Amino acid sequence: MIRSMTGYGEGRAIANGREVVVEMRSLNHRYFDLSCRLPREWPVTEEKIRALVQGKIRRGKIVLFLSYKIRDTRDAKIQINEDIALDYVRKMRRLAKKLGISDELSVEQVAAHPEIVRVIQPEGLGEDVPWLLVKRAVDQAVMRLVQSRTREGKALRSELSSQLRRVDEGLTKIRTRLPEVLEYHRKRLQGLSRELLGSKNGQIDKVRLDTEIFGYARSTDVREELVRAKTHIKHMRTLIAQVNKNKSVGKELDFTAQEMHREVNTIGQKSSDSTISRAVIGMKAAVERIREQVQNVE
C-alpha cells in the first residue's frame, strides 16, 4: 500500500517523574530530511533519533519537536549566580542613570535573566535514562506518523486509480476509433491521387500512391503510443498496489507519469480527428492530476 509523505504523529513516555513528548510533522520532499528541535543542552544526540526515524520512513521533510520535563520536582534545587546578578544590577543602574530614567529593579526582573537563576534537576538524569524515554516516545510518534501517512496513502491510491481509469478509457476510445480514421485517410489519399497522379486513361501510379499512404500513416498512426501508454498504466497500477511497506515507489511513479504524459502528448500531436482530440484532452487532464498526486507519494 502506498503512503503519503504528509502526516502527523505524537509520542509520550513517562517514568520516574520524568516525561518526554515527541511531535512529528512531515511534508513532501524528494529525499529524507529530518530536522530536530531539541531542548537546550539536551544530552541525546540528533544522530540517534535520526537512526530511529529513518528506519521507518524513507522520504519526506520531517520536523521533530521534543520536550522534556521533570514532573516530580521535590528533589530539584534552585541555583542563583550572585556574581552575575550583582553585575547585572550595577550595569542596569548605570545605564538608567546615563539615560536619565528610573533605576528601580525588582527581584522578578533580575531573576528573569536566564543566567542568574537555574533549576538543578536531581541526580540520575544522565544520558541513559532520558534516552530510554526518548526512544519510547520517538518510536510511538513514528508509528503514529506512519499510520497517518498510510491513511492518506489510501486516499491517494483511490485518486490515482480513478485518474488511471480515465486515461485507460480514453485509450480505449482512441483504439476503437483509429481504424476508421486510417480508412478515412486512405480513401482521401486515393481520391487526391486520382486528381493529381491520374493519367489520361484514369490509371493511378500505385507506387506513388503506396509511398504517400505509407508516409502519411507513419506520421498519423498512434498504435505504438497506445501500447506504451497502456504499459505505463499497468505499471502504475502495480506500484500503487505495492504491499512492501519498506519500498519507496514515489520516484518511480513520478517517472512513469512523465512518460505517460509524453505518450499522450504525442497522440494529440499526431491526430487531426476531433473524436481522438476530445479523448486526448480528457486524458491530459487526468495525467496532469496524476503527476500532481504522485509528488506526495513516499
Side-chain angles (χ1 to χ4, degrees), residues 111-259:
H113 193 287
E115 299 299 327
I116 293 177
V117 178
R118 298 180 61 189
V119 179
I120 306 301
Q121 304 295 355
E123 296 296 326
L125 294 184
E127 183 174 345
D128 292 341
V129 174
W131 172 244
L132 294 177
L133 294 181
V134 170
K135 184 178 185 304
R136 194 184 309 164
V138 170
D139 283 341
Q140 189 179 100
V142 171
M143 178 188 69
R144 290 175 177 171
L145 177 62
V146 169
Q147 290 173 345
S148 173
R149 287 160 62 115
T150 300
R151 285 193 299 270
E152 290 199 28
K154 290 180 180 179
L156 276 175
R157 179 183 180 183
S158 177
E159 173 67 11
L160 288 172
S161 297
S162 175
Q163 299 304 329
L164 285 172
R165 189 160 51 248
R166 286 183 61 191
V167 178
D168 203 3
E169 290 171 353
L171 294 175
T172 299
K173 289 180 182 178
I174 294 173
R175 190 180 297 109
T176 302
R177 175 66 175 165
L178 194 57
E180 298 178 26
V181 173
L182 293 177
E183 177 63 18
Y184 166 78
H185 287 301
R186 187 184 70 80
K187 291 181 179 180
R188 180 173 175 274
L189 284 172
Q190 282 182 336
L192 185 62
S193 297
R194 288 191 180 94
E195 295 179 9
L196 300 178
L197 304 177
S199 63
K200 292 182 179 179
N201 58 10
Q203 295 298 314
I204 299 175
D205 186 340
K206 293 189 177 296
V207 175
R208 177 73 180 275
L209 175 60
D210 290 342
T211 301
E212 292 291 336
I213 292 175
F214 176 76
Y216 191 85
R218 186 171 58 181
S219 64
T220 59
D221 190 357
V222 295
R223 283 176 290 189
E224 290 185 7
E225 286 79 6
L226 292 176
V227 171
R228 287 195 292 267
K230 186 73 173 179
T231 299
H232 295 326
I233 291 176
K234 183 178 179 181
H235 184 54
M236 292 191 77
R237 283 172 171 163
T238 300
L239 289 175
I240 65 177
Q242 181 64 248
V243 295
N244 183 359
K245 295 181 180 180
N246 292 322
K247 183 177 180 180
S248 176
V249 298
K251 292 182 181 179
E252 194 170 353
L253 281 171
D254 187 19
F255 175 77
T256 307
Q258 292 180 38
E259 293 300 306

Side-chain angles (χ1 to χ4, degrees), residues 6 56 82 105 131 150 232:
T6 59
K56 299 292 184 180
E82 295 182 2
L105 283 173
W131 172 244
T150 300
H232 295 326

Side-chain angles (χ1 to χ4, degrees), residues 21-79:
V21 177
V22 172
E23 291 184 78
M24 297 177 64
R25 302 179 187 276
S26 66
L27 300 171
N28 301 354
H29 199 273
R30 292 182 64 186
Y31 308 104
F32 176 84
D33 181 18
L34 174 65
S35 175
C36 293
R37 311 286 174 82
L38 306 179
R40 188 179 179 183
E41 300 177 356
W42 182 249
V44 178
T45 61
E46 183 175 330
E47 286 71 21
K48 296 177 74 173
I49 295 176
R50 180 181 300 275
L52 283 179
V53 177
Q54 199 164 12
K56 299 292 184 180
I57 296 174
R58 300 302 179 91
R59 292 179 72 205
K61 181 176 180 60
I62 301 162
V63 180
L64 182 150
F65 301 89
L66 186 149
S67 62
Y68 177 62
K69 66 180 180 180
I70 305 298
R71 296 170 64 91
D72 184 357
T73 60
R74 288 175 296 180
D75 296 329
K77 297 179 180 179
I78 301 297
Q79 182 183 73

